[in-house]
Amino acid sequence: MTALTLSTAGAATLRADAIVVGVAKGAKGPVVAPGAEAVDKAYDGKLASVLESLGATGAEGEATKLPAPSGLKAPIVIAVGLGTVPAKDEAYGAETLRRAAGVAARTLSGAKKAAFALPTEAAEDIAAVAEGALLGAYAFTAYRGTERKPAKSGAAGKNDSGVKQPLGEVTLLGGKPRDKAHKAAVERAISLTEEINRARDLINTPPNDLYPETFAAIATAAGKEHGVKVQVTDEKALVKGGYGGLLGVGQGSEHGPRLVRLEYTHAKAKKTIALVGKGITYDSGGISLKPPGHNETMKCDMSGAAAVLAAVVSAARLGLQVNVTGWLALAENMPSGTATRPGDVLRMYSGKTVEVLNTDAEGRLVLADAITRASEEKPDAIVDVATLTGAMVVALGNRTFGIMSNDDAFRTSVHEIAEEVGEASWPMPLPSELLKGMDSPTADIANMGERMGGGLVAGLFLKEFVGEGITWAHLDIAGPAFHEGAPYGYTPKGGTGSSVRTLVRLAERTAAGDLG
Ligand code: BES
Ligand code: MN
Ligand code: ZN
């Protein structure tokens, strides 16, 4: 992964392949952002007009490359757009900096070393630039080239494919390596983004290599590395335990289901939160097979589980004063002679029976078992994360996840936290009248209800499995989990790591005693 350090060196003296500066949209053309004074000086104070003559406006997402003048020790300067100049006494927003740093890091793929001279006054600006650079530099190259290597998540490295490798090293100028807050900001950003990039690797790994067993092995190794206890319940033990949801979804596949429990504890923790992730390593739809056009990206259907793994390991790496338990509900949803049929009834781990009317509504089945199991330990809150419904994508688009909860205040908190860390989300209701649509003539409940409000119906189904009196929120990340368009900001094509930053900040807030 890309290395990142702080340096008090001047932009004129640091040796690098490129220097990154910020340019904003002023009233009368582009304006060079603070942090780039030394670079501007090397252009005799004319950087803004040079940029303007090259067509730069300072708009977000823009990157302009220009040759460096002789006064600099780097051959090129890259000016990244920061949008409108902030009002007097206001600073550039964290998400603006994060995205601009991401654009710069992406533009610099293939380079060895870059110096970033962006406006970073406060420690949180340093954090934002560090996060954006480390997330933007990400590339999934493990499957490029002819070199044979063991199938392993994150097997990025040398290859002969001609695909550029991520930017090697970032130096943040203006950051103070001896300033406690700056140092902490960088350390947090490194741990957090390494885990987000781990989640992205898992999501991008093709489903012939990533299935419940191999996912569980990767989680076990990651846990071992960072002091997280990992317990894997295999198929045989799931049968013994009566996990009808996980087994019903997994029974059509050659690769059996798994339930993984991750546990991070802190000796002084006062609260425990449980995170539950949907881990369908491939969703074909099962016997209710998805048509072509709907299954090509369904390796992403384990993004919730990847986010939960990343969040628990991050909490451990950051040493947060809170207990965090993670549950990965892993199964592959395949059609076969042993697969669950529409019309089958499953007896869930909770004891409830579910009539499976559509085998493509599988996420709620594996999550229900994991939520019931998580509830047994009486955590202070449960948050599940899932690529659960196409309906949520229809409602909120490709970049925003939906938040549902059995507690309005908690839902509001999660929404505010997501906003604070730069993840787009929106609160959604759980209208109880939609429950009726899931009435089954045969079983306690059906796994499908009314088509209208499908995302809320799925949320209501999950709510039925939350333990009495436990605060719960459900994040439907079906839209933002996997990005199919062109990269933007720090968001690459493919797995995004959606919701990890929200979950980690939720853990931090819980540790600080800010929540309930
Ligand atoms: N994994 C899908 C939801 C999904 C859709 C995720 C698009 C990412 C992008 C889920 O298992 C599913 O198939 N849901 C069905 C539910 C329906 C059958 C009630 C859906 O949304 O169509
Ligand atoms: Mn499905
Ligand atoms: Zn699914």
Side-chain angles (χ1 to χ4, degrees), residues 278 283 290 298 301 358 360 362 364 387-390 448:
K278 171 178 174 182
D283 183 12
K290 284 183 189 291
M298 277 303 141
D301 214 19
N358 189 322
D360 199 10
E362 83 298 339
R364 63 198 74 182
T387 46
L388 204 60
T389 64
M448 248 188 61

Side-chain angles (χ1 to χ4, degrees), residues 78-125:
I78 296 178
V80 286
L82 293 170
T84 315
V85 177
K88 234 183 166 40
D89 302 327
E90 273 187 43
Y92 289 94
E95 182 62 5
T96 298
L97 293 174
R98 211 179 274 119
R99 290 192 186 198
V103 169
R106 272 196 293 112
T107 309
L108 281 157
S109 72
K112 284 215 175 65
K113 182 174 177 177
F116 280 45
L118 291 169
T120 47
E121 276 293 310
E124 34 179 68
D125 303 336

Side-chain angles (χ1 to χ4, degrees), residues 94-96 98-99 127-128 131-132 135 188-189 192-193 195-197 199-200 307-308 310-311 314 318 320 399 401 414 416-424 475 480 488 490-492 496-509:
E95 182 62 5
T96 298
R98 211 179 274 119
R99 290 192 186 198
E131 284 177 22
L135 292 174
R188 180 184 183 278
L192 179 64
T193 58
E195 293 312 317
I196 293 171
N197 288 338
R200 290 169 167 186
V308 166
S314 294
L318 299 171
L320 303 184
R399 295 190 184 181
F401 61 78
V414 175
E416 285 170 359
I417 284 168
E419 179 139 326
E420 188 183 309
V421 299
E423 292 199 296
L475 314 184
Y488 66 94
Y490 52 85
T491 304
T496 61
S498 172
S499 83
V500 177
R501 286 183 281 145
T502 298
L503 296 178
V504 172
R505 182 59 60 89
L506 177 72
E508 288 173 329
R509 288 293 205 78

Side-chain angles (χ1 to χ4, degrees), residues 2-34:
T2 310
L4 187 133
T5 51
L6 292 171
S7 172
T8 47
T13 55
L14 198 96
R15 241 172 244 289
D17 297 321
I19 300 184
V20 174
V21 300
V23 53
K25 257 173 120 153
K28 291 184 227 114
V31 176
V32 176

Side-chain angles (χ1 to χ4, degrees), residues 404-417:
M404 285 144 269
S405 177
N406 59 2
D407 178 323
D408 289 349
F410 190 59
R411 188 189 55 224
T412 302
S413 297
V414 175
H415 176 52
E416 285 170 359
I417 284 168

